[in-house]
Amino acid sequence: MKSFFRYTLLVGLIVGLGAPVVKAAKGPRKSKKDELVTISTPQGDIRLILFNETPLHKTNFLKLAQSGFYNGTTFHRVIPNFMVQGGDPSSKDSDPTNDGSGAPDEKMIPAEIRPELTHKRGAVAAARTPDFINPQRQSSASQFYIVQNPQGTPHLNGQYTVFGQVISGQDIVDKIAQQPTADRNRPVTDIKMTVKVEKLRKKKITELYGYQY
């Protein structure tokens, strides 16, 4: 009987040793790096980060910026104590009357409106057409605006997708908003931009610009 128990115990140990070890499933690994976007204008540089909570908008903006799409576009609509708007490919040509019209065949981006992402000062949000022709509140394929008002623009919360935040150069946004304008709030002098993207460690971004993740 004792031999039987010893045999059974030995077999159990062998089986146990051969059994695969099951590890607890881990969640998605958080990256230690992020993309820093720099918008250069005649007034100076604006630096911003884009939110992971709005992946469609972040991916789209980075793709356009890295391809050079935004280079040569302008801030074609500026309103003091409100916002500055740009990124329309039509603003690259010599016809000021079509600025803001967008590409005729552009594909809209599904809305990613989140209650925690609000229109505070420096918020970066996607422009779009009005509700009566766009009840889903889909975003423009490229046009964006930056909130300039020091108190923010809370009346826009829940209506437009906020997908980024200025972390340096808000004073440059202020300068752009103060530029003389003509019809449709278009600056008299073109405010052209170039946009570049750098991948930096989040710790470095915090050290340089004080942004807390």
Side-chain angles (χ1 to χ4, degrees), residues 150-207:
Q151 283 72 51
T153 56
H155 62 285
L156 299 180
N157 290 342
Q159 300 183 55
Y160 296 78
T161 297
V162 174
F163 66 96
Q165 178 67 39
V166 171
I167 62 173
S168 174
Q170 186 64 34
D171 58 322
I172 304 303
V173 178
D174 294 339
K175 289 180 181 179
I176 292 172
Q178 296 299 327
Q179 296 303 302
T181 58
D183 294 341
R184 297 180 297 119
N185 305 114
R186 185 186 186 280
V188 174
T189 302
D190 286 352
I191 304 174
K192 293 188 177 182
M193 71 179 81
T194 58
V195 181
K196 71 174 183 178
V197 179
E198 306 169 84
K199 196 153 191 175
L200 299 178
R201 293 180 67 86
K202 292 178 179 178
K203 184 178 179 180
K204 186 68 173 179
I205 292 175
T206 298
E207 289 175 356

Side-chain angles (χ1 to χ4, degrees), residues 2 6 13 16 34 38 65 68 71-74 86-87 91 109 123 134 166 185 192 202-203 207:
K2 289 182 179 179
R6 288 197 196 100
L13 285 171
D34 198 5
T38 301
N71 297 340
T73 63
T74 72
S91 66
I109 307 170
N134 179 23
V166 171
N185 305 114
K192 293 188 177 182
K202 292 178 179 178
K203 184 178 179 180
E207 289 175 356

Side-chain angles (χ1 to χ4, degrees), residues 66-88:
Q66 290 166 333
S67 72
F69 172 92
Y70 284 117
N71 297 340
T73 63
T74 72
F75 281 102
H76 63 271
R77 183 175 176 235
V78 306
I79 303 176
N81 293 315
F82 184 30
M83 59 90 222
V84 300
Q85 180 176 335
D88 178 20

Side-chain angles (χ1 to χ4, degrees), residues 30-121:
K30 289 186 178 180
S31 173
K32 293 183 178 180
K33 293 186 177 183
D34 198 5
E35 287 85 2
L36 176 70
V37 178
T38 301
I39 301 175
S40 298
T41 73
Q43 287 71 32
D45 292 345
I46 304 164
R47 291 183 175 85
L48 50 98
I49 57 94
L50 307 178
F51 299 138
N52 291 329
E53 293 85 353
T54 52
L56 299 178
H57 286 72
K58 180 173 184 174
T59 299
N60 179 72
F61 190 97
L62 291 176
K63 181 179 179 181
L64 294 178
Q66 290 166 333
S67 72
F69 172 92
Y70 284 117
N71 297 340
T73 63
T74 72
F75 281 102
H76 63 271
R77 183 175 176 235
V78 306
I79 303 176
N81 293 315
F82 184 30
M83 59 90 222
V84 300
Q85 180 176 335
D88 178 20
S90 299
S91 66
K92 290 183 179 183
D93 64 28
S94 59
D95 180 7
T97 64
N98 66 6
D99 290 3
S101 60
D105 57 346
E106 72 175 0
K107 187 176 180 180
M108 307 294 275
I109 307 170
E112 293 180 297
I113 299 171
R114 299 178 64 98
E116 73 272 23
L117 303 178
T118 60
H119 283 76
K120 62 184 180 180
R121 177 170 168 82

